[in-house]
Amino acid sequence: RGRPATPEQSLLDREKCLRLAAVVGELSERQREVFLLRVGLGATVEETAATLRCSEAAVRTALHEATREIRERMARGLGRGELHERR
């Protein structure tokens, strides 16, 4: 990776990870399950659908919605608590 991260960069990276965890925690249960299975564990669409006992189309839709929500909330810098205040 080249140079080691500065203390400031390490802190920013940690804050971004914490914010991401908070945003994922605010997703609907289905979106969170799909996101964690697909992105976190690397499960296929087929494996995720079988695990959650839903259609593959439902998995694709939930992942699309989850990533859209995450992207939007991360761009606005929203995490736990802030979401409810700004809605």
Side-chain angles (χ1 to χ4, degrees), residues 21-84:
V23 169
V24 169
E26 293 289 331
L27 295 172
S28 73
E29 183 177 355
R30 177 54 50 116
Q31 289 173 344
R32 187 172 51 254
E33 290 171 335
V34 168
F35 183 80
L36 293 175
L37 285 168
R38 293 279 292 127
V39 177
L41 298 177
T44 66
V45 171
E46 296 80 11
E47 292 167 337
T48 302
T51 299
L52 299 178
R53 296 185 178 147
C54 64
S55 70
E56 292 177 16
V59 168
R60 286 190 284 275
T61 299
L63 183 61
H64 174 76
E65 292 171 351
T67 54
R68 186 190 71 234
E69 285 290 317
I70 291 167
R71 193 175 297 120
E72 289 175 3
R73 292 175 185 190
M74 291 294 288
R76 293 186 309 218
L78 299 177
R80 189 171 302 281
E82 297 172 279
L83 295 173
H84 300 293

